[in-house]
Amino acid sequence: MAHWTLDQIPWDQFDSSKVDPELVKLVKAAALVEYNGGDYATYLNNVFHDDDGFRTVASAWALEEVQHGAALARWAKLADPTFDFDASFKRFTDGYKITLDVNASVRGSRSGELVARCIVETGTSSYYTALAEACAEPVLQAVCRKIAADELRHYKLFYTHLQRYLGFEGLGAWGRVKVALSRITESEDDELAYAYYAANHAAEPYERKRFSSAYARRAYAYYRPPHIQRGIAMVLKAAGLNPQGLLHRLLSNLAFRFMRRRVARLNALGA
């Protein structure tokens, strides 16, 4: 059962004068990705085909992800009444597909799959926190805060099951680090780029590099050091490393500098 409903969002407080058009583009793309949670539930249920307890958890998780998409889509429609969510979602799912017909994780083990899920929830929790703190529109603030809280809870859920599987699969620290690094590098894969394209540039041909850059230029600009510091701590914990200390400080600083430089470079290029 979801921890909140769309009826609990203060839709009547929407203030069009506080809408940032650039942020609307990101929200539209996020709505598509979140609403596609059903496909990921199918994938996870196939990977964990003989674990009924986890399959129940994965199905409940997917329902919350779909609700996130619905909430973001509703806000985007308020901000831009021309936004056709159904057409955009069909365009997205027609053009971007994950492999569903599997019986094992693409990460090599169930522990690896759960590490990857922790990394994803780390990214989304940090992202929606950053959006909530950056935007001025009160309804979007409320939506993003609720989603960020859900994503943090999802991280804890997947981490709990990770500990269970580590008890008998024996994925070592280096194996967890490799999965974490692999999933982080996928953050700029086709999914986000194609979602941004499908939501905002339907009349144009898809160019992965162009739309990946357009998405990154806008999304990275909202991150501040606290968001990155918390995200790095969560990544290190999922990877089996000390979430505090020297490594945490080093990686947090490097990540923030990378994002700042990437945004500056893409702005200069007019991405």
Side-chain angles (χ1 to χ4, degrees), residues 25-34 36 40 92 96 98 120 123-124 127-128 183-201 206-216 219-220 223:
K25 297 177 182 179
L26 294 177
V27 172
K28 290 177 181 178
L32 304 185
V33 174
E34 296 281 347
N36 200 33
Y40 286 97
F92 172 60
Y96 178 82
I98 64 172
V120 172
T124 52
Y127 181 55
Y128 289 111
R183 189 59 189 85
I184 289 170
T185 60
E186 293 169 14
S187 64
E188 294 190 18
D189 65 8
D190 267 334
E191 183 177 33
L192 293 174
Y194 203 88
Y196 185 86
Y197 158 75
N200 298 291
H201 295 273
Y206 176 60
E207 299 174 43
R208 181 187 181 281
K209 183 176 180 180
R210 173 191 170 193
F211 292 112
S212 177
S213 296
Y215 174 85
Y220 289 177
Y223 284 90

Coordinates of all heavy atoms in Angstrom, one line a residue, residues 25-34 36 40 92 96 98 120 123-124 127-128 183-201 206-216 219-220 223:
K25 N 10.6 20.7 -18.0 CA 11.1 19.7 -18.9 C 11.6 18.5 -18.2 O 11.4 17.4 -18.6 CB 12.2 20.4 -19.8 CG 11.8 21.5 -20.7 CD 12.9 22.1 -21.4 CE 12.5 23.3 -22.3 NZ 13.6 23.9 -23.0
L26 N 12.3 18.7 -17.1 CA 12.8 17.6 -16.3 C 11.7 16.8 -15.6 O 11.7 15.6 -15.5 CB 13.7 18.1 -15.2 CG 15.0 18.8 -15.7 CD1 15.8 19.3 -14.5 CD2 15.9 17.8 -16.4
V27 N 10.7 17.5 -15.2 CA 9.5 16.8 -14.5 C 8.8 16.0 -15.5 O 8.4 14.8 -15.2 CB 8.6 17.9 -13.9 CG1 7.3 17.2 -13.4 CG2 9.3 18.6 -12.7
K28 N 8.6 16.4 -16.7 CA 8.0 15.6 -17.7 C 8.7 14.3 -18.0 O 8.1 13.3 -18.1 CB 7.9 16.4 -19.0 CG 6.9 17.6 -19.0 CD 6.9 18.3 -20.4 CE 6.0 19.5 -20.4 NZ 6.1 20.2 -21.7
A29 N 10.0 14.4 -18.1 CA 10.9 13.3 -18.3 C 10.8 12.3 -17.2 O 10.7 11.1 -17.3 CB 12.3 13.7 -18.6
A30 N 10.9 12.9 -15.9 CA 10.8 12.0 -14.7 C 9.5 11.3 -14.6 O 9.4 10.1 -14.2 CB 11.0 12.9 -13.5
A31 N 8.4 11.9 -15.1 CA 7.1 11.3 -15.0 C 7.1 10.0 -15.8 O 6.5 9.0 -15.4 CB 6.0 12.3 -15.5
L32 N 7.7 10.1 -17.0 CA 7.7 8.9 -17.9 C 8.5 7.8 -17.3 O 8.1 6.6 -17.3 CB 8.3 9.3 -19.2 CG 7.7 10.4 -20.0 CD1 8.3 10.6 -21.4 CD2 6.2 10.3 -20.2
V33 N 9.7 8.1 -16.7 CA 10.5 7.0 -16.2 C 9.9 6.4 -14.9 O 9.8 5.2 -14.8 CB 11.9 7.6 -15.8 CG1 12.7 6.6 -15.0 CG2 12.6 8.1 -17.0
E34 N 9.3 7.2 -14.1 CA 8.7 6.7 -12.9 C 7.4 5.8 -13.2 O 7.2 4.8 -12.6 CB 8.3 7.8 -11.9 CG 9.4 8.7 -11.4 CD 10.1 8.0 -10.2 OE1 9.6 7.0 -9.7 OE2 11.2 8.5 -9.9
N36 N 6.9 4.0 -15.6 CA 7.3 2.8 -16.2 C 7.7 1.7 -15.2 O 8.3 0.7 -15.5 CB 8.4 3.0 -17.2 CG 8.6 1.9 -18.2 OD1 7.6 1.3 -18.6 ND2 9.8 1.6 -18.7
Y40 N 9.9 -2.7 -14.6 CA 10.9 -3.1 -13.7 C 10.5 -4.1 -12.7 O 11.2 -5.0 -12.2 CB 11.5 -1.8 -13.0 CG 12.4 -1.0 -13.9 CD1 11.9 0.1 -14.6 CD2 13.7 -1.4 -14.2 CE1 12.7 0.8 -15.5 CE2 14.5 -0.7 -15.1 CZ 14.0 0.4 -15.7 OH 14.7 1.1 -16.6
F92 N 7.7 7.0 -25.3 CA 8.9 6.6 -24.5 C 9.0 5.0 -24.5 O 10.0 4.5 -24.7 CB 8.7 7.1 -23.1 CG 9.7 6.6 -22.1 CD1 11.1 6.8 -22.3 CD2 9.3 5.9 -21.0 CE1 12.0 6.3 -21.4 CE2 10.2 5.4 -20.1 CZ 11.6 5.6 -20.3
Y96 N 12.1 2.9 -25.9 CA 13.0 2.5 -24.9 C 12.4 1.3 -24.1 O 11.4 1.3 -23.5 CB 13.3 3.6 -23.8 CG 14.3 3.1 -22.8 CD1 15.7 3.0 -23.0 CD2 13.8 2.6 -21.6 CE1 16.6 2.5 -22.1 CE2 14.7 2.1 -20.6 CZ 16.1 2.1 -20.9 OH 16.9 1.6 -19.9
I98 N 13.4 -2.3 -21.7 CA 14.3 -3.2 -20.9 C 14.0 -4.6 -21.2 O 12.9 -5.0 -21.6 CB 14.3 -2.9 -19.4 CG1 12.9 -3.3 -18.8 CG2 14.6 -1.4 -19.2 CD1 12.9 -3.2 -17.3
V120 N 20.2 3.0 -7.7 CA 19.1 3.7 -8.3 C 18.3 4.6 -7.3 O 18.0 5.7 -7.5 CB 18.2 2.8 -9.1 CG1 17.0 3.5 -9.6 CG2 18.9 2.1 -10.2
G123 N 20.2 7.6 -6.2 CA 20.1 8.7 -7.2 C 18.8 9.4 -7.2 O 18.7 10.7 -7.2
T124 N 17.7 8.7 -7.1 CA 16.4 9.3 -7.2 C 16.1 10.1 -5.9 O 15.5 11.2 -5.9 CB 15.3 8.3 -7.4 OG1 15.4 7.2 -6.5 CG2 15.4 7.7 -8.8
Y127 N 18.0 13.2 -6.1 CA 17.5 14.1 -7.2 C 16.2 14.8 -6.8 O 16.1 16.0 -6.9 CB 17.3 13.2 -8.4 CG 16.8 14.0 -9.6 CD1 17.5 15.1 -10.1 CD2 15.6 13.6 -10.3 CE1 17.0 15.7 -11.2 CE2 15.1 14.2 -11.4 CZ 15.9 15.3 -11.9 OH 15.4 16.0 -13.0
Y128 N 15.3 14.1 -6.2 CA 14.0 14.7 -5.8 C 14.2 15.7 -4.6 O 13.5 16.7 -4.5 CB 12.9 13.7 -5.6 CG 12.5 13.0 -6.9 CD1 12.8 11.7 -7.1 CD2 11.8 13.8 -7.9 CE1 12.4 11.1 -8.3 CE2 11.4 13.2 -9.1 CZ 11.7 11.8 -9.3 OH 11.4 11.3 -10.5
R183 N 26.5 0.6 -12.3 CA 25.2 1.2 -12.4 C 25.3 2.7 -12.4 O 24.5 3.4 -13.0 CB 24.4 0.8 -11.1 CG 22.9 1.2 -11.2 CD 22.3 0.6 -12.5 NE 20.9 1.1 -12.7 CZ 20.6 2.2 -13.4 NH1 21.6 3.0 -13.9 NH2 19.4 2.6 -13.6
I184 N 26.3 3.3 -11.7 CA 26.5 4.8 -11.7 C 26.8 5.2 -13.1 O 26.3 6.3 -13.6 CB 27.6 5.2 -10.8 CG1 27.1 5.0 -9.3 CG2 28.0 6.6 -11.0 CD1 28.2 5.1 -8.3
T185 N 27.6 4.5 -13.9 CA 28.0 4.9 -15.2 C 26.8 4.8 -16.2 O 26.8 5.5 -17.2 CB 29.2 4.1 -15.8 OG1 28.8 2.7 -15.8 CG2 30.4 4.2 -14.9
E186 N 25.8 4.0 -15.8 CA 24.6 3.9 -16.6 C 23.6 5.1 -16.4 O 22.6 5.1 -17.0 CB 23.9 2.6 -16.3 CG 24.7 1.4 -16.8 CD 24.1 0.1 -16.2 OE1 22.9 0.1 -15.8 OE2 24.8 -1.0 -16.3
S187 N 23.9 6.0 -15.5 CA 23.0 7.1 -15.2 C 22.8 8.0 -16.4 O 21.8 8.7 -16.4 CB 23.5 7.9 -14.0 OG 24.7 8.5 -14.3
E188 N 23.7 7.9 -17.3 CA 23.5 8.7 -18.5 C 23.3 7.8 -19.8 O 23.7 8.1 -20.9 CB 24.7 9.6 -18.8 CG 24.9 10.7 -17.7 CD 26.0 11.7 -18.0 OE1 26.3 11.8 -19.2 OE2 26.4 12.4 -17.1
D189 N 22.6 6.7 -19.5 CA 22.3 5.8 -20.6 C 21.1 6.3 -21.4 O 20.6 7.4 -21.1 CB 22.1 4.4 -20.1 CG 20.9 4.2 -19.2 OD1 20.1 5.2 -19.0 OD2 20.8 3.1 -18.6
D190 N 20.5 5.5 -22.2 CA 19.4 5.9 -23.1 C 18.1 6.2 -22.3 O 17.3 7.0 -22.8 CB 19.1 4.9 -24.1 CG 19.9 5.1 -25.4 OD1 20.2 6.3 -25.7 OD2 20.2 4.2 -26.2
E191 N 17.9 5.6 -21.2 CA 16.6 5.8 -20.5 C 16.3 7.3 -20.2 O 15.2 7.8 -20.6 CB 16.6 5.0 -19.2 CG 15.2 5.1 -18.5 CD 15.2 4.3 -17.2 OE1 16.2 4.2 -16.6 OE2 14.1 3.8 -16.9
L192 N 17.2 8.0 -19.6 CA 16.9 9.4 -19.2 C 16.9 10.3 -20.5 O 16.1 11.2 -20.6 CB 17.9 9.9 -18.2 CG 17.8 9.2 -16.8 CD1 18.9 9.7 -15.9 CD2 16.5 9.5 -16.2
A193 N 17.9 10.0 -21.3 CA 17.9 10.8 -22.6 C 16.7 10.6 -23.4 O 16.1 11.6 -23.9 CB 19.2 10.4 -23.4
Y194 N 16.2 9.3 -23.5 CA 15.1 9.1 -24.3 C 13.8 9.6 -23.7 O 12.9 10.1 -24.4 CB 14.9 7.6 -24.6 CG 14.1 7.4 -25.9 CD1 14.7 7.3 -27.1 CD2 12.7 7.2 -25.8 CE1 14.0 7.2 -28.3 CE2 12.0 7.0 -27.0 CZ 12.6 7.0 -28.2 OH 11.8 6.9 -29.4
A195 N 13.7 9.6 -22.4 CA 12.6 10.1 -21.7 C 12.5 11.6 -21.9 O 11.4 12.2 -22.1 CB 12.6 9.8 -20.2
Y196 N 13.7 12.3 -21.8 CA 13.7 13.7 -22.0 C 13.2 14.1 -23.4 O 12.5 15.0 -23.7 CB 15.1 14.3 -21.8 CG 15.2 15.8 -21.9 CD1 14.9 16.6 -20.8 CD2 15.5 16.4 -23.1 CE1 15.0 17.9 -20.9 CE2 15.6 17.8 -23.2 CZ 15.3 18.5 -22.1 OH 15.4 19.9 -22.2
Y197 N 13.7 13.3 -24.4 CA 13.3 13.5 -25.8 C 11.8 13.2 -26.0 O 11.1 14.0 -26.6 CB 14.1 12.5 -26.7 CG 13.5 12.2 -28.0 CD1 13.5 13.2 -29.0 CD2 12.8 11.0 -28.2 CE1 12.8 12.9 -30.2 CE2 12.2 10.7 -29.4 CZ 12.2 11.7 -30.4 OH 11.6 11.4 -31.6
A198 N 11.3 12.1 -25.5 CA 9.9 11.7 -25.7 C 9.0 12.7 -25.0 O 7.9 13.0 -25.6 CB 9.7 10.3 -25.1
A199 N 9.4 13.4 -24.0 CA 8.5 14.3 -23.3 C 8.6 15.7 -23.8 O 7.6 16.5 -23.7 CB 8.9 14.4 -21.8
N200 N 9.7 16.0 -24.5 CA 9.9 17.4 -24.8 C 10.2 17.7 -26.3 O 10.1 18.9 -26.7 CB 11.1 18.0 -24.0 CG 10.8 18.0 -22.5 OD1 9.9 18.7 -22.0 ND2 11.5 17.2 -21.8
H201 N 10.5 16.7 -27.1 CA 11.0 17.0 -28.5 C 10.4 15.9 -29.4 O 11.1 15.4 -30.3 CB 12.5 17.0 -28.5 CG 13.1 18.1 -27.8 ND1 13.3 19.3 -28.3 CD2 13.6 18.1 -26.5 CE1 13.9 20.1 -27.4 NE2 14.1 19.4 -26.3
Y206 N 15.5 11.4 -32.7 CA 16.2 11.2 -31.5 C 17.7 11.2 -31.7 O 18.2 10.5 -32.6 CB 15.8 9.9 -30.9 CG 16.5 9.5 -29.7 CD1 16.5 10.3 -28.5 CD2 17.3 8.3 -29.6 CE1 17.2 10.0 -27.4 CE2 18.0 8.0 -28.5 CZ 18.0 8.8 -27.4 OH 18.7 8.5 -26.2
E207 N 18.4 12.0 -31.0 CA 19.9 12.0 -31.0 C 20.4 11.8 -29.5 O 20.2 12.7 -28.7 CB 20.4 13.3 -31.5 CG 20.0 13.6 -33.0 CD 20.4 15.0 -33.4 OE1 21.6 15.4 -33.1 OE2 19.6 15.7 -34.0
R208 N 20.9 10.6 -29.3 CA 21.2 10.3 -27.9 C 22.1 11.3 -27.2 O 21.9 11.8 -26.1 CB 21.9 8.9 -27.8 CG 22.2 8.4 -26.4 CD 23.0 7.1 -26.4 NE 23.3 6.7 -25.1 CZ 24.3 7.2 -24.3 NH1 25.1 8.2 -24.8 NH2 24.5 6.7 -23.1
K209 N 23.2 11.6 -27.9 CA 24.2 12.6 -27.3 C 23.6 13.9 -27.0 O 23.8 14.5 -25.9 CB 25.4 12.7 -28.2 CG 26.5 13.6 -27.6 CD 27.7 13.7 -28.5 CE 28.8 14.6 -27.8 NZ 30.0 14.6 -28.7
R210 N 22.8 14.4 -27.9 CA 22.2 15.7 -27.8 C 21.2 15.7 -26.6 O 21.3 16.6 -25.8 CB 21.4 16.1 -29.1 CG 20.6 17.4 -28.9 CD 19.7 17.5 -30.1 NE 18.7 18.6 -29.9 CZ 17.7 18.8 -30.7 NH1 17.4 18.1 -31.7 NH2 16.9 19.8 -30.4
F211 N 20.3 14.7 -26.5 CA 19.3 14.8 -25.5 C 19.9 14.3 -24.1 O 19.4 14.8 -23.1 CB 18.1 14.0 -25.9 CG 17.4 14.6 -27.1 CD1 17.4 14.0 -28.3 CD2 16.8 15.8 -26.9 CE1 16.7 14.6 -29.4 CE2 16.1 16.4 -28.0 CZ 16.1 15.8 -29.2
S212 N 20.9 13.5 -24.1 CA 21.6 13.2 -22.9 C 22.2 14.5 -22.3 O 22.1 14.7 -21.1 CB 22.6 12.1 -23.1 OG 23.3 11.9 -21.9
S213 N 22.8 15.3 -23.1 CA 23.5 16.5 -22.7 C 22.4 17.5 -22.2 O 22.6 18.2 -21.2 CB 24.3 17.1 -23.8 OG 25.4 16.2 -24.2
A214 N 21.3 17.6 -23.0 CA 20.3 18.6 -22.6 C 19.7 18.2 -21.2 O 19.4 19.1 -20.4 CB 19.2 18.5 -23.7
Y215 N 19.5 16.9 -21.0 CA 19.0 16.5 -19.7 C 20.0 16.8 -18.6 O 19.7 17.4 -17.5 CB 18.7 15.0 -19.7 CG 18.3 14.5 -18.3 CD1 17.0 14.6 -17.9 CD2 19.2 13.9 -17.5 CE1 16.6 14.1 -16.6 CE2 18.9 13.4 -16.2 CZ 17.6 13.6 -15.8 OH 17.3 13.1 -14.6
A216 N 21.3 16.4 -18.8 CA 22.3 16.6 -17.8 C 22.5 18.0 -17.4 O 22.7 18.4 -16.2 CB 23.6 15.9 -18.2
A219 N 19.5 18.9 -15.1 CA 19.4 18.1 -13.9 C 20.6 18.4 -12.9 O 20.4 18.6 -11.7 CB 19.3 16.6 -14.2
Y220 N 21.8 18.4 -13.4 CA 23.0 18.5 -12.6 C 23.0 19.9 -11.9 O 23.6 20.0 -10.8 CB 24.2 18.3 -13.4 CG 24.5 16.9 -13.8 CD1 25.6 16.6 -14.5 CD2 23.7 15.8 -13.4 CE1 25.9 15.2 -14.9 CE2 23.9 14.5 -13.8 CZ 25.0 14.2 -14.6 OH 25.3 13.0 -15.0
Y223 N 21.9 20.2 -8.1 CA 22.6 19.5 -7.0 C 23.4 20.5 -6.2 O 24.1 21.3 -6.8 CB 23.4 18.4 -7.5 CG 22.6 17.1 -7.9 CD1 22.2 17.0 -9.2 CD2 22.4 16.1 -7.0 CE1 21.4 15.8 -9.6 CE2 21.6 15.0 -7.3 CZ 21.2 14.9 -8.6 OH 20.5 13.8 -9.0

